[in-house]
Amino acid sequence: MVELKPTHYDGVFSDGRDFFTRNLAAGVKVYGEKLLTCGGKEYRRWDPYRSKLAALLQRGCPEWPFKEDTEVLYLGAASGTTASHLSDICMEGRLYCIEISSRVFRKLLDVAVRRPNMMPFLGDADRPDAYKSLFGLVEVVYQDVAQRDQVPIFLKNVSFLGPGGLGFLMVKARSIDVAAQPADIYRQVSKDLSAAGLSLLGTVRLDPFQKDHAAVVVQKPSGQA
Ligand SMILES: C[S@@+](CC[C@H](N)C(=O)[O-])C[C@H]1O[C@@H](n2cnc3c(N)ncnc32)[C@H](O)[C@@H]1O
C-alpha cells in the first residue's frame, strides 16, 4: 500500500517520488491523472510533464505561498490542469481563472462546476480592465500564457498583487524568441521584472519536464501599493 506524506509545500503530498494533492472533487479526474486513496482520503497525482507548477516542485520552488485560503489570479488557465491542483490546495480560497480561448474555456467550465473555489472568466489577460471589477487584491498572480508578449502581460496584472504578494511567471522561451538561447531569454525576463520594481526570488529551469521553459518567481515589495 502506498503511503503519502505531507511535504514542506502546504497542501502537497508525496510518496517519495511523485507529488499529489487531495482531490476536492472526489472520484473525478481532470486530465486522466492517477487517483490514489490513502487513510480514507483521495489524492490526485500531479504530473510534472503536464503542469509547469508540478515541474517547479520537482525542481525546487523558491517560495510556496499557496495555503488553504489563498486567493490567486491565474492567467492562461486552459482546461484547468494546473488550476485544478491549486483548487485542491486553496480549498477555502479563490482562483480567478482567465482564459482567452473559448474552445478550452468550455472544458475549464466543466472542471469549475465541481470546484466552488474556481471562478472562470473568458477574457484576454492583456486587457485586465475587462475583469478588474471582479475581485480586489490577490496574494498570488500565476501566469502561463505562452505568448510573445508574456512579460508585458504579466506586468499589467501585477497591479492585482497585494503588498508582499508573489508572482509566478512561467516563461516559454521559444514564444518570446524562437532563435535566442533560452538562458538569455530567462536573464532578460528576470532583468525586466526587477526593473519594474519586483524582487526576484528565483529563476528555475523546468527542463526536462517542460522543455525550454523556466519559472520566474517574484515578490511585490511590502511597501508597494
Ligand atoms: C500553456 S497553456 C496553459 C496551461 C495551463 N496553465 C495549465 O498548466 O494547466 C496556455 C494558455 O494560455 C491561453 N492564453 C494565451 N494568451 C492568453 C491571453 N492573452 N489571455 C488569457 N489566456 C491566454 C491559451 O489559450 C492557452 O490555453
Side-chain angles (χ1 to χ4, degrees), residues 152-197:
I153 291 176
F154 185 72
L155 290 177
K156 279 185 189 175
N157 283 278
V158 152
S159 56
F160 291 103
L161 265 186
L166 259 62
F168 288 73
L169 175 55
M170 299 296 162
V171 180
K172 183 174 183 180
R174 301 289 177 202
S175 293
I176 293 180
D177 185 338
V178 75
Q181 285 300 317
D184 294 337
I185 300 277
Y186 307 147
R187 213 170 294 118
Q188 188 58 48
V189 170
S190 306
K191 261 192 196 168
D192 292 348
L193 298 186
S194 297

Side-chain angles (χ1 to χ4, degrees), residues 77-80 97-112 119-123:
S79 51
C97 299
I98 315 295
E99 173 52 51
I100 200 169
S101 155
S102 50
R103 189 180 51 84
V104 290
F105 187 75
R106 276 193 284 274
K107 295 185 187 163
L108 183 64
L109 286 179
D110 287 344
V111 173
M119 316 286 159
F121 182 83
L122 181 63

